[in-house]
Amino acid sequence: MNSQEIMQLALDMVGFDGIPADSAIQVPGKDMKRVLFGIDIGVPELLLAKELKVDGVIAHHPIGLNISPIYDKHIDQMASFGIPREVGEKAVAPIKEGTNLSFLSGNFDHVVSVARVLGLPLMNIHNPLDEVGRRVMDEAIKARRQAVEGTGAGEGAGQGRTFTVGDVVDALQGIPEFSRVPTRPQIMVGKAENPAGKVAVAHAAGTNGRYAVANAYYEHGVSTVVYIHVDAPGLAKLRAENKGNLVVAGHIVADAVGINPFIDLLREKGMEVITISGCGL
Ligand SMILES: [Fe+2]
Ligand SMILES: [Fe+2]
């Protein structure tokens, strides 16, 4: 497969029309039969790839890109819960600016230049695979809600009790990858016995929405936010205000949940995939 075909396979999994801002083919390759795939790829991993004599390297996390436009996905996700777009825009503006500044100050060429010199095809696929993971987690939570709240017979059968924050954690923990890693989903704000209410899985939008995105959800009828990770200052503020529940799923396991189905697809196509750095967990 060539780089474009690999990228298209990922885009097709989630029905995306084009390559999002946080994904790219940095060094194109063709006729790739054996690849190294890791969540984080830097210069040491490229040297490993050379040692392993693979045909190309696939990373999950962005390499040398200005990913600030991808944060707009938070605005779209918030809008799906009825949050006005201008509220979403205000919440993500500081995150976008910070990312833009990091891009301006960072060395976008460092890792890419090494791949070029080594003659190693390199690409990174971020948002499409995070979107796969977001859907898996969201569906697991919805299925668990049905099993807990359902009062009907047959398909609607359930325990007929209130769906709680603890049930959200149990739903995530029921996804196979979660039982294979040392991290556990944690309730960072709120208590296990709290009613979960409306639950937003705020993932697949660049990175976590810090204080502002979670706060906007709480102020617009969402009682429980699921992030895959959160910054310490943002968490401190969310705890101090205690407006809603926050479940942190765990970064690498949540990434793996989105990446593993894609690795399965590549292998179905006959590709040999060597996994490192959180891929294949
Ligand atoms: Fe990710
Ligand atoms: Fe990640």
Side-chain angles (χ1 to χ4, degrees):
M1 292 174 88
N2 65 36
S3 306
Q4 196 60 48
E5 288 165 341
I6 292 172
M7 182 66 82
Q8 194 59 48
L9 202 60
L11 299 177
D12 288 346
M13 285 179 84
V14 283
F16 285 4
D17 290 336
I19 301 174
D22 65 352
S23 305
I25 296 166
Q26 285 84 357
V27 179
K30 48 187 178 185
D31 295 331
M32 289 185 275
K33 295 179 178 67
R34 201 163 165 260
V35 294
L36 181 68
F37 198 156
I39 289 179
D40 290 297
I41 296 292
V43 171
E45 291 74 25
L46 292 177
L47 294 173
L48 170 68
K50 201 70 190 170
E51 180 97 14
L52 293 170
K53 296 184 170 58
V54 294
D55 304 317
V57 180
I58 307 174
H60 175 56
H61 286 157
I63 298 173
L65 303 173
N66 185 348
I67 71 164
S68 53
I70 209 73
Y71 294 103
D72 289 343
K73 301 240 174 187
H74 275 301
I75 303 169
D76 298 338
Q77 291 176 13
M78 292 159 93
S80 76
F81 283 86
I83 301 178
R85 295 195 76 84
E86 51 277 21
V87 172
E89 279 160 17
K90 210 173 156 201
V92 302
I95 309 175
K96 287 176 79 168
E97 175 150 270
T99 304
N100 189 44
L101 289 174
S102 299
F103 181 67
L104 284 173
S105 70
N107 187 344
F108 56 84
D109 190 47
H110 184 65
V111 175
V112 181
S113 67
V114 172
R116 224 183 285 125
V117 168
L118 289 171
L120 261 178
L122 174 67
M123 63 194 296
N124 89 269
I125 312 175
H126 193 235
N127 191 259
L129 302 185
D130 279 347
E131 177 59 18
V132 172
R134 187 193 68 76
R135 291 179 191 181
V136 170
M137 291 192 284
D138 190 49
E139 280 157 21
I141 292 167
K142 284 179 173 146
R144 185 61 63 109
R145 183 192 290 276
Q146 177 66 35
V148 166
E149 285 184 343
T151 51
E155 279 206 5
Q159 302 165 31
R161 63 170 176 85
T162 303
F163 187 61
T164 64
V165 178
D167 292 320
V168 172
V169 170
D170 289 348
L172 293 171
Q173 191 58 47
I175 299 169
E177 281 81 356
F178 280 80
S179 61
R180 299 200 289 257
V181 299
T183 58
R184 292 284 166 266
Q186 292 183 30
I187 302 168
M188 291 296 190
V189 186
K191 294 192 173 75
E193 59 270 29
N194 288 356
K198 276 194 199 170
V199 179
V201 180
H203 171 48
T207 190
N208 75 78
R210 301 185 198 163
Y211 164 81
V213 170
N215 182 59
Y217 276 116
Y218 301 146
E219 290 191 343
H220 291 81
V222 172
S223 303
T224 303
V225 171
V226 178
Y227 277 166
I228 70 164
H229 47 73
V230 70
D231 61 307
L235 174 60
K237 203 168 171 193
L238 292 168
R239 274 186 177 150
E241 294 183 359
N242 198 25
K243 290 182 191 169
N245 310 297
L246 179 71
V247 174
V248 172
H251 181 181
I252 297 306
V253 65
D255 274 345
V257 166
I259 293 166
N260 285 348
F262 179 61
I263 292 175
D264 291 344
L265 265 184
L266 288 174
R267 286 177 174 154
E268 275 169 32
K269 300 257 174 203
M271 182 85 81
E272 187 187 338
V273 184
I274 302 170
T275 54
I276 59 166
S277 183
C279 290
L281 284 172

